[in-house]
Amino acid sequence: MLFFKRNVISFYILSLLLFIFAFYQSFKWKWICDDAYISFVYARNLYEGSGLVFNFEERVEGYTNFLWTLLLSLGYFLKLTPQFLSLFFGILFYLMTLFVFFYEENRLSVGKIYPFLLVHLALFFHLQIFATSGLETSLFTFLVCFGILLWEKENEFLFLLFFLSALVRPEGALFLSIASLDWLFRKRSLKPVLFGFLFLGFLCFRVFYYDDIFPNTFYAKGNKGAYFSQGFYYLLYFFKSYPLYLFILVLSGIQIYQLFLNQKKFRFLLSSILLYIFYVLYVGGDFMGNRFWIPILPYLSYLAFRQIHEWDINSQIESKKTSFFLSLYTKNQILVAFLFILSTAVYIDPLKTQGTRIPDWHGIVEERMFYEDHLIRTSGYDNGALSDFRVAFFGAQAHFVYYLRPNFAFEAESGLTDREFAKKKIETRGRVGHESELDLKDLFDRKIEILLDNRLPKNNFPYIQYTWRNIPLRFYLLSYDPVKISSLCQRNDWNCSDLFETFKLKTWDKNQPKSFLESNGIH
């Protein structure tokens, strides 16, 4: 029962079992997405002495996780691959997030409640999913949640955490700036100024090194204007995934309202949460289902838990029992506890209908279900095979760029690695992060030789076949250099028979260079 006096031994045994369960689930669902390989390339190039760049000949900030990329780069010195290190740190910071909320629950509920907040968070499927992925989500969530908890306690260590979060993701600057304003106005303290200068120093580095105050990902994904319609679908997708979490939002909403009214010191803090939600809605969320909600969900659940705790305390005080909400709660204590746990335990896959899975819902996908654990494995690649070529790739082929190591790689879906393409105007909005419109001139201007996927179906390009883990893939040629192609075709995993058959049918001289862009109207 929820409100029986706590048995200390069972409380901690159950808590330990929940941490083991959380570790097991996050390890079971471990995966790496394609976008992570963008950061992996930057990390490797930095370690190898080429700088924090994607292509050797240019400086473009094509990642959104500066500190995470540095962390992965340091792993090379210890002979740890970014594949392993990203999984290790992802699960570690996921468990640390659970621990800081377990600590708060243990502190608040001494002698009263079994660890229901920990149960609630340990059962949260998407927290388990984004414990890994190769991305910085788990680290960012830990820094934001721990920072907010320290903000509540007015512990100045919060500025270090928010400063680090701003280095991990640009959204961290929102929490750093609002917390700084809070301390400057309310406490009239200059302690935030130090971290303000440090962050200003980071921005100066960005301008000096990349010649831009914003990362290139801002232009590729976030500079397309307001996209509230997609943001609405992104929010609705979350409610489709966790329909009972509405109950948590109601409880946390009551707690936020009461804190706004009664405790002025919380107003800046709670405003940062609301502004983050507004930001996610403004940009249209993300193409990965629920990922952008993850950083604030544990704290919202914590606020709901605190509201339950306050009702529990007040239910023991006779003068408080006239409150409508308290009276309703007192009569339904067990139901409230049951719904609190079920709010995360009940997960419904929005992409699964009538026994089959659809690829996306309004451009939102479950990337883990697509990639599973395939990109964790480092085997099956012909390492360095494209070192003489300039290639264009799309997000899903980023892992090929990491292993095949082309001389130059152009990300042609959103322009993550290309300053000009990222700023290219779009006619209509579409799937977030996948909206740029590629044309032949983009490829011609960048002297692309191989296209890893033909997203220009109106154009007919010859192809060579690359066998990856027994899967035949077609890479399309935009230009033909007989020396380089001949060398590539001699490698075991490459088959050029279809290419040379095309040369024979077209009566082309395979000993002479040729541009296939010319035959498609580009000169």
Side-chain angles (χ1 to χ4, degrees):
M1 299 293 289
L2 178 60
F3 298 100
F4 285 174
K5 188 172 182 179
R6 188 172 76 182
N7 182 302
V8 174
I9 296 177
S10 65
F11 180 90
Y12 288 114
I13 290 177
L14 178 58
S15 298
L16 177 60
L17 291 176
L18 287 168
F19 276 106
I20 293 173
F21 172 78
F23 170 78
Y24 170 78
Q25 288 295 101
S26 60
F27 185 79
K28 170 188 173 183
W29 292 107
K30 65 184 183 299
W31 66 297
I32 293 177
C33 69
D34 51 60
D35 278 5
Y37 276 88
I38 298 287
S39 295
F40 292 178
V41 172
Y42 277 93
R44 182 181 61 193
N45 287 344
L46 178 61
Y47 165 74
E48 293 179 348
S50 301
L52 204 52
V53 297
F54 194 81
N55 293 307
F56 300 146
E57 61 189 63
E58 60 186 8
R59 293 182 179 182
V60 179
E61 189 177 1
Y63 53 85
T64 320
N65 44 27
F66 173 77
L67 188 58
W68 180 251
T69 300
L70 288 186
L71 192 62
L72 297 179
S73 182
L74 292 175
Y76 281 100
F77 290 97
L78 302 175
K79 308 301 180 184
L80 299 175
T81 66
Q83 292 83 352
F84 168 80
L85 204 59
S86 65
L87 298 180
F88 172 80
F89 279 122
I91 294 175
L92 174 64
F93 286 114
Y94 163 60
L95 295 177
M96 289 175 67
T97 300
L98 295 186
F99 180 80
V100 296
F101 285 105
F102 162 74
Y103 178 84
E104 289 302 306
E105 177 178 15
N106 188 46
R107 181 182 63 82
L108 286 174
S109 60
V110 173
K112 293 184 178 296
I113 305 178
Y114 282 86
F116 278 93
L117 177 60
L118 184 58
V119 173
H120 170 94
L121 294 176
L123 293 176
F124 216 142
F125 180 65
H126 273 83
L127 290 185
Q128 300 166 5
I129 289 295
F130 286 106
T132 55
S133 80
L135 295 174
E136 72 293 334
T137 306
S138 179
L139 171 58
F140 185 65
T141 300
F142 167 74
L143 292 172
V144 168
C145 288
F146 193 18
I148 293 174
L149 290 174
L150 292 181
W151 194 351
E152 284 188 357
K153 299 176 176 63
E154 301 191 324
N155 186 322
E156 62 188 42
F157 190 62
L158 74 95
F159 292 107
L160 175 60
L161 293 176
F162 283 155
F163 171 68
L164 294 177
S165 74
L167 299 186
V168 173
R169 282 197 63 84
E171 296 92 332
L174 182 151
F175 296 98
L176 176 63
S177 60
I178 296 178
S180 298
L181 289 174
D182 181 26
W183 276 53
L184 289 171
F185 290 147
R186 187 170 55 84
K187 297 180 72 68
R188 300 188 184 280
S189 170
L190 295 179
K191 292 177 181 178
V193 175
L194 170 62
F195 289 94
F197 275 114
L198 289 175
F199 187 67
L200 180 61
F202 170 68
L203 295 180
C204 289
F205 158 77
R206 176 177 280 159
V207 172
F208 171 78
Y209 197 80
Y210 292 115
D211 198 28
D212 203 320
I213 196 171
F214 297 112
N216 197 55
T217 50
F218 167 75
Y219 302 106
K221 294 185 176 182
N223 190 35
K224 311 298 183 184
Y227 203 4
F228 284 110
S229 59
Q230 182 63 20
F232 168 77
Y233 285 119
Y234 196 66
L235 181 62
L236 186 58
Y237 184 90
F238 175 74
F239 291 137
K240 287 169 68 71
S241 303
Y242 301 95
L244 296 182
Y245 201 83
L246 276 169
F247 175 69
I248 301 300
L249 294 184
V250 170
L251 293 182
S252 60
I254 294 172
Q255 178 73 186
I256 290 173
Y257 176 73
Q258 291 180 348
L259 290 174
F260 259 110
L261 287 182
N262 303 321
Q263 299 194 48
K264 293 182 178 181
K265 70 176 185 178
F266 284 103
R267 291 182 179 179
F268 276 91
L269 185 159
L270 297 172
S271 296
S272 69
I273 300 294
L274 298 178
L275 282 174
Y276 180 84
I277 294 172
F278 176 82
Y279 160 78
V280 175
L281 295 174
Y282 175 86
V283 299
D286 185 42
F287 66 93
M288 293 191 198
N290 300 320
R291 182 168 78 104
F292 275 19
W293 299 124
I294 293 297
I296 60 169
L297 288 176
Y299 185 73
L300 290 176
S301 293
Y302 167 71
L303 288 178
F305 169 79
R306 260 186 29 188
Q307 185 59 54
I308 294 175
H309 174 67
E310 288 181 13
W311 280 337
D312 178 42
I313 296 296
N314 291 334
S315 67
Q316 312 302 318
I317 304 173
E318 192 65 31
S319 61
K320 298 278 189 178
K321 292 183 178 181
T322 56
S323 166
F324 170 76
F325 285 114
L326 182 58
S327 175
L328 186 64
Y329 166 76
T330 304
K331 296 175 183 178
N332 299 279
Q333 290 182 358
I334 302 303
L335 177 61
V336 169
F338 192 54
L339 287 175
F340 185 78
I341 293 175
L342 285 182
S343 62
T344 54
V346 175
Y347 165 67
I348 300 172
D349 187 350
L351 303 183
K352 192 172 183 179
T353 58
Q354 300 179 347
T356 61
R357 299 194 85 256
I358 57 178
D360 71 281
W361 186 77
H362 291 278
I364 305 169
V365 300
E366 289 293 332
E367 292 266 292
R368 169 60 177 82
M369 304 309 171
F370 177 77
Y371 287 107
E372 297 182 338
D373 63 350
H374 297 311
L375 300 190
I376 294 177
R377 290 183 286 146
T378 59
S379 61
Y381 294 90
D382 188 8
N383 293 305
L386 297 181
S387 59
D388 293 329
F389 294 88
R390 298 173 66 89
V391 309
F393 72 100
F394 303 90
Q397 290 90 39
H399 59 111
F400 289 124
V401 172
Y402 179 83
Y403 290 104
L404 303 185
R405 302 191 69 157
N407 177 261
F408 175 88
F410 164 48
E411 199 283 299
E413 192 160 46
S414 59
L416 289 176
T417 65
D418 188 279
R419 196 185 310 276
E420 298 303 320
F421 192 72
K423 297 177 181 178
K424 189 176 181 180
K425 299 297 182 182
I426 58 173
E427 297 297 328
T428 57
R429 297 304 304 265
R431 182 182 176 190
V432 174
H434 300 74
E435 299 170 279
S436 296
E437 300 172 356
L438 179 70
D439 57 44
L440 289 177
K441 189 176 185 306
D442 296 318
L443 301 172
F444 177 79
D445 290 343
R446 292 159 182 82
K447 302 178 181 178
I448 299 302
E449 299 170 280
I450 297 179
L451 189 61
L452 299 195
D453 187 15
N454 189 8
R455 301 286 181 90
L456 300 167
K458 294 182 180 179
N459 298 278
N460 186 26
F461 299 113
Y463 61 87
I464 55 179
Q465 183 173 288
Y466 167 56
T467 302
W468 172 64
R469 297 177 182 171
N470 298 319
I471 302 173
L473 302 173
R474 291 181 176 182
F475 289 175
Y476 297 85
L477 293 185
L478 304 186
S479 67
Y480 171 81
D481 183 309
V483 176
K484 291 195 290 188
I485 292 296
S486 176
S487 177
L488 181 64
C489 293
Q490 292 175 16
R491 303 176 76 101
N492 292 333
D493 296 329
W494 301 81
N495 186 332
C496 299
S497 58
D498 288 295
L499 172 66
F500 293 132
E501 184 64 26
T502 299
F503 266 75
K504 183 177 179 180
L505 290 174
K506 299 286 188 178
T507 65
W508 294 332
D509 186 354
K510 67 178 183 179
N511 296 315
Q512 296 296 322
K514 184 173 182 59
S515 170
F516 300 109
L517 288 172
E518 293 180 358
S519 59
N520 286 278
I522 297 293
H523 300 280

